[in-house]
Amino acid sequence: MTSVNAKLLYHYVLTNFFNLCLFPLTAFVAGKASRHTTNDLHNFFSYLQHNLITVAILFAFTVFGFVLYMVTRPKPVYLVDYSCYLPPPHLRASVSRVMDVFYQIRKADTSRNVACDDPSSLDFLRKIQERSGLGDETYGPEGLLHVPPRKTFAAAREETEQVIIGALENLFQNTKVNPREIGILVVNSSMFNPTPSLSAMVVNTFKLRSNIKSFNLGGMGCSAGVIAIDLAKDLLHVHKNTYALVVSTENITQGIYAGENRSMMVSNCLFRVGGAAILLSNKPRDRRRSKYKLAHTVRTHTGADDKSFRCVQQEDDESGKIGVCLSKDITNVAGTTLKKNIATLGPLILPLSEKFLFFVTFVAKKLLKDRIKHYYVPDFKLAIDHFCIHAGGRAVIDELEKSLGLSPIDVEASRSTLHRFGNTSSSSIWYELAYIEAKGRMKKGNKAWQIALGSGFKCNSAVWVALRNVKPSANSPWQHCIDRYPAKIDSDLSKSETHVKNGRS
């Protein structure tokens, strides 16, 4: 307790060092000024009158510098509102229903004799399901929940269109923005990229204007949502007085794996239906009604390393079935990529006290390599109020909680999102932000850090500053169930662990 209080005192003193020095400095200047007489002031103004050219040049440089700063500084990017898609109740996918889908898919596969299938594969899937952290109220795609499952291109298109259109209709209804006012459109979907593109589908459905700057991001994994935000931010800095629309989703129908390779089966157990639509603006008048201002985006890509590049890869298995393979190196790769991302983001957001401690330990480690094994891990809770860690799985959340030194309440939004909605890929960080709002925790001035990890391998971060006490938007995905969280998670997970142990014994 004493060490905690000492660190808080140190943080307060160093962070407010200039403010603490301001009072004695002001007193010193006031004391000096009080000694000057009227004659001193008269001599000063007389000096200025005899050096008008010097004064004019200094004034001109000051005005020029101010104008240059106002013209070249990046315009603020505001998050007006966002909408997370809530699928209809009939698409709820409990653990038992998901297991039935896996069985039906395997049964429908005419390339093998189902009677000869190894039952341990289904047992493996069941154990992964029970330990994944997902609850019984996640959502699956209509095509796969159909009996028999429809794993067709048409079913995949239907799934994605339902998600995107549903999220956008709710967003436009809440913001009262005319779709024709949208000047920039960015859509990201990693696994499903038809022709015409999904961004073209949005243009067609909502009749967006013909000169819209539209982009479609594919194959960029679960971190693509922050990439889309970063791209929209750069475009908003170039195109003035306009709106940018970002849509993040993933397709489950197209990405389901029907083979026997266990490294490819894991993704079947984690991913669920979901998507988010985000409305950004650079219009000054939108500040008053916006929820957040974008403070920072940091993107880290370690794809130059072969292990990083191959740790999440879509490929054929031994029998020619396509799936996403997760290598055993993924945990180490994710940790390394996260550290590099933090190394870039830290100096932008951390207080002076944490920067100083990190610098001291960095120098000490260089001088005393054998005695100091690890760098100092900054306390990000001194700079960030809310954490939205990509709900990629229970192990991912556990690892980031440990690496960043977070408390259970800091990762509550991530665990709750994983339990209620599953891994919705790039949109999961928006369900987490919606959870924080639904709990009434987002206050004016609070900072929220969205952390997304994805294939490539990439770690991307976005930091938002709340412009007011943020309340949940209409038709929030949490409005009917927020009171059940987070207490429900612990009991469900303990039951799952019990089932797994009973299955082993």
Side-chain angles (χ1 to χ4, degrees), residues 270-288:
L270 298 175
F271 286 93
R272 296 292 189 270
V273 169
I278 304 97
L279 183 65
L280 304 176
S281 173
N282 59 9
K283 300 181 179 183
R285 68 172 182 268
D286 279 328
R287 177 186 173 89
R288 294 184 62 185

Side-chain angles (χ1 to χ4, degrees), residues 56 107 188 192 236 292 335:
K107 184 178 178 181
N188 69 268
F192 184 64
L236 285 171
Y292 304 95

Side-chain angles (χ1 to χ4, degrees), residues 10 58 119 140 151 167 180 195 235 259 267 302 305 355 363 411 457 460 492 494 501:
Y10 156 78
L58 290 175
K151 192 175 179 291
R180 294 191 64 82
T195 300
L235 292 167
S267 60
T302 58
D305 177 73
K355 294 177 185 177
V363 174
V411 295
F457 194 85
N460 301 316
D492 280 1
S494 61
K501 290 178 181 177

Side-chain angles (χ1 to χ4, degrees), residues 250-271:
E250 189 52 272
N251 189 277
I252 310 303
T253 305
Q254 191 80 354
I256 199 74
Y257 172 67
E260 299 288 341
N261 189 319
R262 295 194 174 186
S263 65
M264 295 181 174
M265 290 181 184
V266 176
S267 60
N268 286 352
C269 303
L270 298 175
F271 286 93

Side-chain angles (χ1 to χ4, degrees), residues 78-80 281 286-292 467-468:
Y78 302 115
L79 194 163
V80 180
S281 173
D286 279 328
R287 177 186 173 89
R288 294 184 62 185
R289 69 170 184 147
S290 296
K291 288 185 171 184
Y292 304 95
L467 298 176
R468 51 186 167 88

